[in-house]
Each structure stands twice: as structure tokens, then as C-alpha cells.
């Protein structure tokens, strides 16, 4: 028999958290990281893993003290396990429902995407092995994946690294990167996305 207070705690954790709770929690984590001289970012873990596997013998980019970044690997691992725990044990009263705005659903349906309310995950039909060998699949899956990975490394960090960690550390380069992220997102949404999917 599970104690009542644990069930109440589960219900509290399972509900969507408003910005005025989640925002200060992120700020608190960032304060702790900055206090200990750490910088948060997910894409940096790719460099750490490559360096740990000996990539430094092939490129100077991977020659650094990767062991000092071991804590960041734990952050990435925690994100994976945290996502699993949240989806498996802490789903809300309505289950694992994708909360997507009606305007987004309407926009996707107008471009031929089939969408069922509450469907998780929301994965378009072109993310299949068969679609990978079409020009659209190559462009979106391979080309898009390359641009995201290359862009994150070329910019010196991903969106979480720059928007959360970099700006918290008052780095002007992160402000420039964030402007680029938003500009690229707007260009993709309003120019490339309709061109690709309305064709």
C-alpha cells in the first residue's frame, strides 16, 4: 500500500508547472553552476565523448581535459533517465498527451500532416527508413541533422548552452547566437517550411 502523501506528491509533480515555478528553478540551477564555475550545455557532451574515445589523436579540437567535463555527461544522462521516469511514472491525469496549440494543429493539417489529438510522439510520416531515400527525406533528416549538429558546434554551443548558460554568464556571443537561432527559426517556419511541404 502506497502512503497517501506519496500519491499526493506524485500528483503534484505530474501536473504541468507554470513558468513562474519552472523559471526560478532554472535560475537557481544556473546560479549554482556559475557559483562553481561550470557552464551548462548539451551539445558539448558530443565533444567530450569523442575526446574520451581518443579523437584527440586525429584532431586538435578534441585535445582537452575531457575528464573535467564529466559532470556535464551526467546532466545529459539525467535528462535521458528523467524523461523516461517522467513518461513512465509521472504522466498527468490525462496521460501522455501532446499539448499542442490548435493553431499549430490546424497549420500542420493544412500541409497534409495527419494528427490525432493527444498522439505522442508527434512524428511526421517522413521520418521513416523508406522516406530517408527520397530527396525530401535526405534534405530534412540528413541535411537538417547536419546543420543542427554543425551549427551547434560552430556557434560554440546549442540553444540551451547559449540561451540559458551563456546569457546567464553575460556573454555577448551568446546574445548574438540567440538572435541567430531566432532568425533561423523564423526563416525556417515562414519561408523554408512552406516551400518544402507545400511543394
Amino acid at each position: 500500500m502506497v502512503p497517501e502523501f506519496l500519491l499526493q506528491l506524485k500528483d503534484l509533480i505530474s501536473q504541468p508547472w507554470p513558468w513562474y515555478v519552472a523559471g526560478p528553478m532554472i535560475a537557481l540551477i544556473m546560479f549554482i553552476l556559475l557559483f562553481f564555475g561550470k557552464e551548462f550545455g548539451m551539445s558539448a557532451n558530443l565533444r567530450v565523448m569523442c575526446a574520451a574515445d581518443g579523437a584527440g589523436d586525429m584532431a586538435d579540437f578534441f585535445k582537452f581535459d575531457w575528464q573535467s567535463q564529466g559532470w556535464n555527461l551526467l546532466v545529459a544522462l539525467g535528462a535521458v533517465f528523467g524523461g523516461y521516469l517522467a513518461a513512465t511514472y509521472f504522466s498527468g491525469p490525462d496521460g501522455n498527451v501532446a499539448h499542442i496549440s490548435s493553431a499549430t494543429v490546424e497549420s500542420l493539417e493544412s500541409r497534409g500532416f495527419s494528427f490525432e489529438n493527444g498522439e505522442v510522439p508527434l512524428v511526421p510520416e517522413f521520418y521513416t527508413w523508406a522516406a530517408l531515400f527520397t530527396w525530401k527525406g535526405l534534405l530534412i533528416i540528413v541535411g537538417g541533422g547536419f546543420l543542427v549538429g554543425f551549427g551547434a558546434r560552430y556557434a560554440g554551443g546549442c540553444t540551451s548552452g547559449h540561451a540559458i548558460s551563456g546569457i546567464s554568464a553575460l556573454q555577448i556571443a551568446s546574445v548574438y547566437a540567440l538572435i541567430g537561432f531566432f532568425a533561423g527559426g523564423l526563416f525556417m517556419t515562414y519561408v523554408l517550411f512552406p516551400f518544402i511541404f507545400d511543394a
Side-chain angles (χ1 to χ4, degrees):
M1 180 87 183
V2 180
E4 183 63 27
F5 78 93
L6 286 178
L7 294 174
Q8 293 174 352
L9 180 62
K10 176 188 176 293
D11 292 339
L12 177 68
I13 294 173
S14 299
Q15 65 183 341
W17 289 10
W19 64 268
Y20 52 81
V21 174
M25 288 181 70
I26 293 173
L28 177 63
I29 296 298
M30 286 312 308
F31 175 79
I32 294 170
L33 287 173
L34 291 172
F35 180 79
F36 287 104
K38 305 292 185 184
E39 290 186 357
F40 166 78
M42 285 297 178
S43 66
N45 287 308
L46 298 174
R47 184 181 181 208
V48 173
M49 288 186 284
C50 290
D53 289 334
D57 297 336
M58 294 176 277
D60 291 339
F61 178 72
F62 299 108
K63 288 182 179 177
F64 72 102
D65 181 18
W66 62 267
Q67 292 177 332
S68 66
Q69 295 294 312
W71 69 272
N72 209 10
L73 285 173
L74 288 178
V75 171
L77 193 63
V80 172
F81 281 114
Y84 170 78
L85 289 174
T88 307
Y89 300 107
F90 293 97
S91 58
D94 52 356
N96 287 325
V97 174
H99 297 282
I100 299 173
S101 73
S102 56
T104 301
V105 172
E106 186 177 321
S107 175
L108 290 173
E109 287 179 340
S110 71
R111 290 188 164 81
F113 291 96
S114 58
F115 176 82
E116 293 182 17
N117 192 26
E119 179 182 297
V120 175
L122 181 61
V123 179
E125 58 273 8
F126 58 80
Y127 280 106
T128 63
W129 285 109
L132 179 62
F133 298 103
T134 64
W135 74 269
K136 193 180 286 188
L138 280 173
L139 177 67
I140 295 168
I141 300 171
V142 178
F146 172 78
L147 288 175
V148 168
F150 176 80
R153 283 296 79 210
Y154 188 72
C158 58
T159 50
S160 61
H162 281 297
I164 300 174
S165 186
I167 289 180
S168 297
L170 304 178
Q171 296 177 4
I172 191 66
S174 292
V175 175
Y176 295 148
L178 197 59
I179 291 170
F181 293 148
F182 272 98
L186 290 171
F187 183 73
M188 175 64 192
T189 301
Y190 292 105
V191 178
L192 295 181
F193 193 91
F195 175 75
I196 293 171
F197 293 105
D198 291 345

